[in-house]
Amino acid sequence: MTHVRYDILRMVRNRAFLALTLALPLVLFLSVASGQRHATHDGVGFPLYFMTAMAVYGAMFAVISPGARIARDRASGWTRQMRITPLRIRADFAAKVLTAYLLALPTLALLYLAGAALGVHLGATQWLKLTGLLLVGLVPLVVLGLALGYLLPVDALTPALGGIVVLLALLGGVYGFQLATSGPMFDVMKALPSYWLVQAGKAAIAGGGWPAEAWIVVAAWTIVLIPVAAVVYRRSTSRI
Amino acid sequence: MTQSNDHTGGIVLTSLSKSYGSVRAVRSIDLQIAPGETVALLGPNGAGKTTTIDMVLGLTRPDSGSISLFGMTPAQAVAAGAVGGMLQTGSPLDHMKVRELVSLMASYYPHPLDVGDALRRTGAAEFAGQWTTKLSGGQAQRVRFAAALVGDADLLLLDEPTAGIDVEGRREFWQAMRAVAGRGKTVVFATHYLEEADAFADRIVLMSHGRIVADGPATEIKARAAARTIRGTLPGADLAGLVALPGVAAADRHGDTIILSCSDSDAALRPLLGAFPEIRDIEVGGGSLEEAFLELTAADKLDPEVVR
């Protein structure tokens, strides 16, 4: 418990990081969506689409960010000091997952408030369904953050995390347009969790939830990434 | 020392080896350390001390050989909280205060020391409220010491704990260590300061080029280290011939003066007079500890059978 508490405290104390993570998607949403309150996109109102997209964008950054903290701790050499204590891999991963979601939740909440202010109307179950799908769809991103944090040196990590999120966002349709709606490119997009994250808004409105394909994509990414994260965790004890 | 043959009691390293590429960092070492012993791993940089400690801590996987810590593997011993370590590197985690970091480390262990107690003993109490990123090198070293100590583990491994610390800081460090070792802990520390090993350890394990070249009580190693030096005047000396004499470890020349570093000066002296009758002004003396240390770790010249 102490481990979790200090992990959260260390994240919260990193003020500049916290402010940027929370503010960036919010500012993007307000500046783009306020001029297109009455437009529609991909079958739903643009504010809802873009609110979901920016929530996904912000939350992806939030949940992948523990990777940066992990890489910094490794670079400092203290990770090796932790590794010779009885701290278990599960407890360490659990703490990182918890901090990831603790940062994602206010990111979502701020976007929801901004969306409501621009006229997004959803029923209580729709809000809940949207949130639930987003939290589930973020799981592979959380694990990816862990794996990269234990794998990459700290100076490579910032561009790697940023680049991956931007790429996933672009292919997932986060920026307000889709690169393709059919063909091989569309197949690639549909194989990414970010695509289904963006689709969560539409799914929540339609009431039907995700298609089976979405659940399979999210589960497959998670199942592949967890052992990768465990292996790089165990290997990350060499002297840096 | 009754427990030194008890394979479950302490630390047992068997034929332990580790290479990094073509560098053979540790070459098949065997070592047994009984519970409660304080042992110095003494040797110059590159002797294999850090690699050995990393393997005992489970941070580095040996290429071959085995490690038993109180009958457990390193991973099991670490998981049981039986091991505390102070590594050479490691800046304390950022966005934390010193007391918080030491509390965090304590929280991982089943029976930790009181955090305030650990901070006081290591001299870290006076800056316990400081952010970890604002510490001096000496302060950070104390924090690492407190982090190693606070778990109250049975085995403490310290990798060059006083590297980069001034004389006063070193003295304070060993004072604090003495109090810990007095409580029945097994302590293994690496150092390249002979005085430190001599002053603090019950037993010195001398490493050089990845091998153990001497192992014994500190007094014995010191006696051996006080190897004899033979000096004499011998113009145009044949150094190769001198080195070939029994008991001579190395030969050196300064002008007409020759200096023979000996593992056994008595054995060297008799044939020396016969083989080089023109030698004069002969003096036999004890070398300095540092000289002897260098001598003992010049492994290529040493016959392991003799030194052990």
Side-chain angles (χ1 to χ4, degrees):
Chain A
M1 276 319 289
T2 312
H3 182 66
V4 173
R5 186 155 53 90
Y6 280 121
D7 224 23
I8 295 169
L9 206 56
R10 291 182 64 214
M11 178 180 76
V12 173
R13 281 172 176 171
N14 198 346
R15 291 284 157 78
F17 158 78
L18 200 63
L20 279 171
T21 306
L22 293 176
L24 186 67
L26 190 65
V27 170
L28 276 172
F29 172 72
L30 289 173
S31 56
V32 174
S34 57
Q36 307 190 47
R37 294 179 65 161
H38 305 294
T40 57
H41 180 84
D42 197 21
V44 295
F46 185 80
L48 170 63
Y49 178 88
F50 204 58
M51 176 194 80
T52 311
M54 284 298 108
V56 168
Y57 189 53
M60 285 203 298
F61 267 116
V63 299
I64 213 169
S65 69
R69 199 162 65 248
I70 290 165
R72 242 183 18 247
D73 294 349
R74 278 173 55 226
S76 79
W78 200 265
T79 301
R80 280 159 48 82
Q81 190 73 51
M82 306 274 257
R83 223 47 82 76
I84 57 175
T85 70
L87 173 67
R88 308 282 67 210
I89 177 171
R90 278 164 198 273
D92 199 14
F93 275 20
K96 298 294 186 290
V97 171
L98 203 68
T99 53
Y101 276 111
L102 271 179
L103 189 56
L105 283 172
T107 308
L108 297 183
L110 285 174
L111 264 302
Y112 290 175
L113 286 174
L118 291 189
V120 173
H121 288 294
L122 291 178
T125 43
Q126 288 172 321
W127 283 116
L128 282 176
K129 188 168 264 179
L130 173 63
T131 308
L133 290 177
L134 289 182
L135 295 183
V136 172
L138 287 168
V139 171
L141 274 299
V142 178
V143 187
L144 184 63
L146 294 180
L148 291 173
Y150 288 112
L151 183 67
L152 295 177
V154 66
D155 47 356
L157 198 81
T158 312
L161 292 186
I164 284 169
V165 169
V166 167
L167 194 66
L168 284 173
L170 180 70
L171 292 169
V174 166
Y175 297 128
F177 60 90
Q178 287 188 8
L179 287 177
T181 48
S182 64
M185 180 57 108
F186 189 50
D187 290 335
V188 170
M189 287 162 59
K190 284 195 293 181
L192 298 173
S194 53
Y195 175 81
W196 296 108
L197 281 164
V198 175
Q199 295 297 310
K202 214 159 111 183
I205 288 222
W210 271 340
E213 197 182 355
W215 295 100
I216 292 167
V217 165
V218 169
W221 278 83
T222 307
I223 289 165
V224 168
L225 285 171
I226 284 178
V228 172
V231 167
V232 293
Y233 174 91
R234 296 216 161 86
R235 281 193 187 162
S236 63
T237 55
S238 58
R239 297 200 287 276
I240 296 176
Chain B
M1 299 299 286
T2 51
Q3 285 166 302
S4 61
N5 288 323
D6 178 354
H7 280 237
T8 61
I11 306 177
V12 183
L13 312 185
T14 311
S15 311
L16 199 62
S17 296
K18 179 72 187 178
S19 296
Y20 295 102
S22 62
V23 181
R24 295 171 67 194
V26 173
R27 306 181 188 202
S28 191
I29 62 170
D30 292 290
L31 183 64
Q32 295 185 12
I33 295 171
E37 265 192 298
T38 299
V39 176
L41 286 182
L42 177 65
N45 291 331
K49 308 186 297 290
T50 295
T51 303
T52 302
I53 284 181
D54 278 1
M55 286 191 287
V56 173
L57 289 170
L59 290 171
T60 298
R61 192 183 290 274
D63 293 338
S64 59
S66 69
I67 301 168
S68 165
L69 306 180
F70 311 112
M72 296 177 275
T73 65
Q76 289 167 339
V78 164
V83 182
M86 181 171 170
L87 307 171
Q88 260 191 70
T89 53
S91 343
L93 293 179
D94 56 10
H95 298 295
M96 295 191 90
K97 293 180 175 175
V98 168
R99 177 184 297 278
E100 294 173 340
L101 181 58
V102 177
S103 306
L104 176 64
M105 300 306 281
S107 75
Y108 301 141
Y109 285 87
H111 313 290
L113 295 178
D114 175 67
V115 171
D117 193 25
L119 289 168
R120 263 192 306 282
R121 277 197 220 181
T122 53
E126 57 203 77
F127 52 88
Q130 186 68 258
W131 290 107
T132 52
T133 39
K134 304 255 193 263
L135 303 175
S136 71
Q139 288 174 330
Q141 185 257 12
R142 283 162 195 240
V143 172
R144 286 189 287 124
F145 184 30
L149 219 56
V150 76
D152 202 24
D154 291 334
L155 169 62
L156 263 183
L157 288 132
L158 312 153
D159 191 4
E160 302 204 5
T162 60
I165 304 297
D166 61 22
V167 175
E168 175 68 7
R170 240 181 262 171
R171 202 178 54 77
E172 286 173 14
F173 174 85
W174 288 114
Q175 260 172 10
M177 263 321 290
R178 219 176 281 278
V180 175
R183 292 157 31 106
K185 303 289 176 195
T186 309
V187 179
V188 179
F189 67 97
T191 180
H192 51 239
Y193 298 115
L194 182 60
E195 320 87 78
E196 253 180 30
D198 176 37
F200 189 69
D202 307 328
R203 176 177 160 199
I204 296 177
V205 172
L206 195 60
M207 289 189 75
S208 173
H209 298 99
R211 288 201 180 87
I212 293 174
V213 293
D215 177 357
T219 47
E220 191 184 308
I221 297 292
K222 215 171 120 184
R224 171 144 56 211
R228 298 274 146 177
T229 305
I230 301 176
R231 288 165 182 273
T233 306
L234 184 61
D238 160 28
L239 287 184
L242 289 166
V243 170
L245 293 170
V248 175
D252 201 3
R253 176 170 49 197
H254 295 296
D256 286 345
T257 305
I258 53 128
I259 300 155
L260 306 179
S261 304
C262 303
S263 54
D264 184 346
S265 55
D266 294 337
L269 201 51
R270 277 180 263 273
L272 173 68
L273 294 172
F276 300 92
E278 67 276 29
I279 191 168
R280 52 196 163 81
D281 307 330
I282 296 173
E283 288 174 31
V284 179
S288 74
L289 284 180
E290 285 307 323
E291 271 172 26
F293 170 48
L294 290 173
E295 199 57 52
L296 278 167
T297 54
D300 298 337
K301 177 71 176 106
L302 287 173
D303 178 356
E305 294 301 319
V306 174
V307 181
R308 285 184 150 205

